[in-house]
Amino acid sequence: MTRLLNPGDTLAIVSPSVMLSPRESINLDAAIGYFESLGFKIKLMPTTLTGLRHTPDSDKEKARDIMAAFAAPEVKAMVAACLLYTSPSPRDTERSR
């Protein structure tokens, strides 16, 4: 059953594709301010602001954040900080051969 969001609900901000650089976090600050002005609480997941790095563990770290947001009882919805592009991982190259 679909449940509407209400003021006071918590939104988790995740970055499933790329992790935001400090420069991009300025736009994120504006988005957070907007959601807060609507009455929502924000839970910023740890890998959202760790920079544009891609390491063998970064996919696992991002997945861990997403799963933690799903598991958190206070989180009522997730918002993707960035879904525009992603760097292919070495595993993607291996799979395409």
Side-chain angles (χ1 to χ4, degrees), residues 23-95:
R23 192 178 97 196
E24 292 170 313
S25 70
I26 294 168
N27 294 331
L28 183 61
D29 289 341
I32 289 171
Y34 173 73
F35 287 125
E36 288 176 337
S37 76
L38 296 176
F40 296 112
K41 298 174 190 169
I42 300 298
K43 179 174 183 153
L44 191 63
M45 301 311 286
T47 60
T48 304
L49 294 176
T50 55
L52 287 171
R53 63 181 170 84
H54 192 86
T55 65
D57 291 332
S58 62
D59 290 337
K60 291 177 187 174
E61 292 168 359
K62 292 182 281 185
R64 199 172 304 128
D65 274 359
I66 292 168
M67 295 309 294
F70 272 117
E74 75 277 12
V75 172
K76 302 302 179 197
M78 279 187 269
V79 177
C82 185
L83 271 176
L84 299 177
Y85 57 91
T86 186
S87 299
S89 77
R91 290 183 305 262
D92 295 334
T93 305
E94 292 297 318
R95 281 186 238 154

